[in-house]
Amino acid sequence: MALDQIQYKAVRHFNGPAMILAGPGSGKTTVITHRVFSLINDRKVPDDEILVITFTKMAAVEMKERYLRMANLRFTPVNFGTFHAVFFMILKDACGFKATDIVKVKDQWDFVKTQFSMYGVDVRDENGVISDVISEIARVKSLPEEKIHEYCPVSCERRLFISIFREYEHWLETSHMVDFEDMMKKTYCLLRNTPDILNKWQNRYRYVLIDEFQDASPIQFEIVKMLVMPHQNIFIVGDDDQSIYGFRGAAPGVMQEFKKSFPDCAVYTLNTNYRSTGSVVKAATRLINNNKDRFYKDLKAYNDMGEDVVKLIFESTEEEIKYISDLVSDKKTTAVLTRTNSGAVELRRYLLKHGISFNKSDGERDGENIFSHWIAQDINAYFNLARGERARRDLLRIINKPSRYISRQYFMEENVDFDLVLLRMKQGNQDRLIKNMNSFLNDLKCISPMSPYAAINYIRKKVGYDVYIYSYCRKEGIDSELFMSILDRLQDSSRNCSTLEQWINMVSDGTVSDGTNCSSKYSQKSMPDNCTADSVSNVNICTMHSSKGLEYERVIIIDANEGITPYNKAVSKEEIEEERRLFYVAMTRAKRNLIICSVKRRNNKMLLPSRFVKEI
């Protein structure tokens, strides 16, 4: 690729700090690899004095391979690595760290699960809660010391989180293990407190290049500043408009902080988008210009205007899904982007049912499949009992949801005999429990002839399951909104079923799969890889976050509605601006066609189009 004028100036930058503001599709990777080549071949910098830092191992490998192809080499001493790889290299050299000293994700998972058990917490949504706690521990550990005491967890009640956090830290210390956050902190302390070691690494790498700098955390930036301080040959590439990882501890204003730390830095703005059409670039620019805390960029498209950005409003998600299903049959490479993993459950189910293969982005946890969620299992238990089954496990699952104050001691047999249960209560003079049990049995009798949709509504409103969920969430100190959303979606999924048995069979045989599990009868047909990233399908379904760095001929953003995007938990100005950046990232994945879809109704709730659609 020939360099444009601004790219060329950035590549030829030699000594001193430089900040490259790289808009979407502006060739940032090209600039980094060409600068490495220029430093070595034009400036005669020893190649083993160059350090290139990326955020993912995949990005480091890709960048190294691109450089090797460009330089026509099979090997290079230039160090291409992630932040964590660099930190581990320093600790390994100075402290003798080994790979076995890094705690494994499975060990973290088992530890947090054990802690919940020790504190007597019933972890029903195990995949979700434990994963969230681990993520929040990492986020807290990446904060500056003075900010840690201000942190308010969302995964569980604050006192419980603090207790688990302290026990986790003690466990790592006594086991002589470190996690990735420890690696950062230990590297920071080592370099700050040991001048000779710091001096060694400052002399080792005299030229440091960092990709995706907008995603750097405060402590990562502090370490980098120490490493480059004598020579200040630091070359950062990033786009503050694509800073979307605040929930991971990234500092959205880190690029502004860079300018303050290096006030004399050269600034090069890559403002030509070589990926998208003019229509996409103009629409995305109109959106992002609504953010105030940013570096201004006069973005323009290298390509022609192309087709207009399409904005559609559907009466319901069913109409939206049918439209998308018909559209993607034309074999054009397409990405369907959602705000959250759960946002495409119904779409995946519909595509599977109609034999349309698709790729699902890696990293989506199975817990996002609502039909394996403990709430769905509760509904199933009610249905099983209403149909005449008497499995003890089903009864124990829901007998006190909502609370009926009935002890499991009345249910001793694997197959429950309700007459025997009532006799035991009568012998114990438990009039209140008899009344509650009869009410429960009457509810099962009422549910039995109902359609699944009506039955779920009856369980929620008449039986009181919604009240139970609200009470459970208050007790555990967690947000009830996700659970209520799951209930809404479960109820909505039952619309096309006429009997309880039909809905249960539909769930159990996989026909309601969201694409997370591939065991359904549909995956036996002509699409064996329809749920993997290795599929040759032209349809890709992923979240806005996981689409970053990718590009597609056509992008379809679904459910562009208030409460979904921006997410309903985003309230502050900073949070709304990050949501807008996320939408901007989604838009700029499109090369030729961009379609933005909103719905008027979802899960029986009326919705408004996203404010971002209006801003576009």
Side-chain angles (χ1 to χ4, degrees):
M1 172 182 173
L3 300 175
D4 64 31
Q5 185 176 4
I6 300 177
Q7 289 174 333
Y8 180 78
K9 289 181 179 179
V11 165
R12 294 293 295 174
H13 179 87
F14 187 27
N15 288 323
M19 176 169 67
I20 287 72
L21 296 172
S26 61
K28 64 182 181 61
T29 303
T30 297
V31 166
I32 292 175
T33 52
H34 276 73
R35 182 172 190 254
V36 172
F37 185 86
S38 177
L39 286 174
I40 295 170
N41 291 276
D42 300 331
R43 308 294 190 178
K44 308 306 177 184
V45 173
D47 43 15
D48 60 356
E49 293 184 2
I50 300 173
L51 173 64
V52 181
I53 301 177
T54 66
F55 272 82
T56 67
K57 185 176 180 179
M58 183 182 297
V61 170
E62 179 186 352
M63 199 170 291
K64 182 176 181 178
E65 289 177 347
R66 287 184 62 171
Y67 169 72
L68 290 174
R69 287 195 299 270
M70 183 181 66
N72 196 26
L73 298 172
R74 298 183 62 184
F75 170 79
T76 177
V78 176
N79 189 348
F80 292 84
T82 64
F83 270 112
H84 289 128
V86 173
F87 298 157
F88 184 71
M89 174 180 65
I90 294 172
L91 293 175
K92 180 180 179 181
D93 180 77
C95 309
F97 271 72
K98 305 182 294 296
T100 53
D101 295 328
I102 303 175
V103 66
K104 297 179 176 60
V105 174
K106 182 183 182 301
D107 295 331
Q108 292 177 309
W109 186 279
D110 291 342
F111 177 83
V112 174
K113 182 177 180 179
T114 301
Q115 289 296 307
F116 274 115
S117 178
M118 288 176 59
Y119 284 103
V121 178
D122 182 11
V123 184
R124 293 183 175 90
D125 184 16
E126 184 176 278
N127 285 354
V129 176
I130 294 179
S131 178
D132 289 345
V133 169
I134 293 172
S135 296
E136 288 206 89
I137 288 175
R139 183 174 185 180
V140 169
K141 294 180 71 168
S142 67
L143 294 174
E145 292 291 337
E146 65 274 12
K147 295 288 185 180
I148 291 179
H149 74 280
E150 301 175 2
Y151 185 78
C152 294
V154 296
S155 56
C156 61
E157 192 269 336
R158 177 176 170 79
R159 285 184 297 177
L160 176 61
F161 178 82
I162 291 174
S163 297
I164 294 176
F165 178 77
R166 289 173 177 168
E167 290 296 330
Y168 175 79
E169 292 287 81
H170 178 70
W171 169 61
L172 289 183
E173 183 179 353
T174 56
S175 303
H176 305 289
M177 304 281 284
V178 293
D179 58 19
F180 287 133
E181 288 66 39
D182 288 328
M183 289 165 57
M184 285 191 290
K185 287 192 173 184
K186 289 181 180 295
T187 301
Y188 173 76
C189 293
L190 177 70
L191 297 180
R192 185 183 63 179
N193 300 324
T194 318
D196 56 331
I197 294 178
L198 174 60
N199 184 62
K200 172 183 177 178
W201 290 100
Q202 287 172 336
N203 292 327
R204 171 75 176 272
Y205 294 112
R206 294 193 303 113
Y207 291 86
V208 178
L209 298 82
I210 305 176
D211 187 25
E212 303 283 12
F213 188 77
Q214 76 278 351
D215 296 328
S217 69
I219 192 169
Q220 288 171 336
F221 184 31
E222 290 300 318
I223 293 172
V224 167
K225 283 196 292 187
M226 286 191 285
L227 288 174
V228 305
M229 197 47 68
H231 45 72
Q232 296 196 16
N233 292 328
I234 178 171
F235 186 93
I236 68 161
V237 180
D239 182 7
D240 55 331
D241 290 334
Q242 297 186 68
S243 176
I244 59 174
Y245 295 116
F247 66 95
R248 293 182 183 174
V254 70
M255 297 194 74
Q256 286 88 343
E257 289 300 317
F258 181 88
K259 193 73 171 62
K260 294 177 183 177
S261 298
F262 300 95
D264 297 327
C265 73
V267 179
Y268 305 92
T269 302
L270 308 183
N271 59 0
T272 301
N273 183 313
Y274 293 93
R275 173 192 301 148
S276 307
T277 62
S279 295
V280 172
V281 173
K282 283 196 171 185
T285 300
R286 283 195 292 269
L287 172 74
I288 202 62
N289 281 344
N290 286 276
N291 276 5
K292 305 305 178 185
D293 297 331
R294 59 186 290 265
F295 287 105
Y296 174 76
K297 308 169 191 69
D298 183 19
L299 299 177
K300 58 184 179 181
Y302 179 80
N303 300 314
D304 56 28
M305 286 301 293
E307 298 180 18
D308 290 340
V309 173
V310 177
K311 293 175 284 184
L312 302 172
I313 300 180
F314 298 92
E315 290 293 330
S316 65
T317 53
E318 290 82 5
E319 287 189 12
E320 179 186 52
I321 289 169
K322 178 66 166 57
Y323 168 80
I324 293 171
S325 176
D326 293 342
L327 186 65
V328 299
S329 62
D330 65 3
K331 304 303 180 184
K332 182 181 292 187
T333 302
T334 302
V336 181
L337 304 185
T338 68
R339 174 59 181 83
T340 62
N341 285 331
S342 59
V345 169
E346 291 87 352
L347 174 62
R348 290 173 182 154
R349 185 179 67 198
Y350 188 93
L351 295 180
L352 281 171
K353 186 174 181 179
H354 290 81
I356 301 174
S357 62
F358 58 88
N359 305 321
K360 180 173 70 68
S361 64
D362 289 332
E364 296 181 12
R365 72 187 190 210
D366 291 343
E368 296 295 349
N369 181 354
I370 62 169
F371 304 102
S372 64
H373 195 280
W374 61 267
I375 288 179
Q377 301 308 312
D378 286 353
I379 299 298
N380 260 6
Y382 267 106
F383 283 9
N384 286 335
L385 293 167
R387 292 166 61 230
E389 296 184 14
R390 294 294 181 259
R392 181 174 182 264
R393 64 178 182 276
D394 283 337
L395 190 65
L396 292 180
R397 182 176 196 96
I398 49 90
I399 190 61
N400 286 306
K401 298 179 182 177
S403 181
R404 299 177 179 91
Y405 309 100
I406 300 176
S407 170
R408 64 175 55 219
Q409 69 182 8
Y410 292 105
F411 313 107
M412 306 303 294
E413 296 77 22
E414 286 302 312
N415 287 294
V416 178
D417 182 337
F418 286 135
D419 290 335
L420 181 57
V421 170
L422 289 169
L423 178 60
R424 288 169 178 163
M425 292 177 176
K426 185 176 181 180
Q427 290 172 341
N429 296 317
Q430 298 292 332
D431 293 342
R432 181 186 180 190
L433 297 188
I434 291 173
K435 180 180 178 182
N436 290 347
M437 191 68 199
N438 281 324
S439 177
F440 173 68
L441 294 175
N442 184 62
D443 285 333
L444 295 181
K445 185 177 179 180
C446 291
I447 292 170
S448 178
M450 291 181 177
S451 70
Y453 185 89
I456 294 176
N457 190 64
Y458 184 94
I459 293 169
R460 296 181 65 179
K461 309 303 181 186
K462 179 63 171 64
V463 175
Y465 192 82
D466 278 9
V467 174
Y468 159 74
I469 289 295
Y470 284 124
S471 176
Y472 169 77
C473 291
R474 281 197 303 270
K475 179 182 177 182
E476 299 299 332
I478 55 181
D479 193 339
S480 63
E481 189 168 335
L482 172 61
F483 291 167
M484 300 311 294
S485 173
I486 289 172
L487 277 166
D488 288 341
R489 286 157 51 204
L490 284 170
Q491 187 171 353
D492 202 49
S493 72
S494 67
R495 284 181 177 276
N496 297 323
C497 300
S498 56
T499 66
L500 304 186
E501 185 174 11
Q502 186 180 357
W503 192 79
I504 290 173
N505 290 339
M506 184 178 69
V507 173
S508 63
D509 75 4
T511 61
V512 292
S513 171
D514 64 354
T516 300
N517 300 313
C518 299
S519 59
S520 81
K521 59 188 176 184
Y522 299 107
S523 64
Q524 308 296 326
K525 294 184 178 180
S526 59
M527 46 182 185
D529 298 319
N530 65 335
C531 299
T532 71
D534 298 323
S535 170
V536 294
S537 172
N538 62 295
V539 182
N540 305 273
I541 302 177
C542 57
T543 64
M544 294 178 180
H545 279 102
S546 59
S547 72
K548 189 168 181 292
L550 304 176
E551 58 183 39
Y552 305 91
E553 286 298 312
R554 175 172 59 204
V555 165
I556 306 172
I557 298 175
I558 66 173
D559 297 338
N561 291 91
E562 287 292 307
I564 300 175
T565 176
Y567 203 43
N568 50 24
K569 293 182 180 179
V571 178
S572 68
K573 170 179 171 290
E574 292 76 18
E575 291 169 335
I576 293 297
E577 290 211 346
E578 178 152 330
E579 289 288 310
R580 188 176 285 110
R581 292 194 294 269
L582 183 58
F583 204 88
Y584 174 76
V585 166
M587 293 178 66
T588 53
R589 301 309 95 197
K591 296 171 68 176
R592 305 299 304 176
N593 304 107
L594 175 61
I595 302 171
I596 302 173
C597 302
S598 304
V599 295
K600 293 182 179 179
R601 176 174 53 82
R602 181 180 176 89
N603 296 330
N604 278 336
K605 293 182 179 179
M606 301 305 295
L607 298 176
L608 294 173
S610 170
R611 71 192 71 181
F612 302 151
V613 177
K614 298 177 183 178
E615 292 170 357
I616 291 167

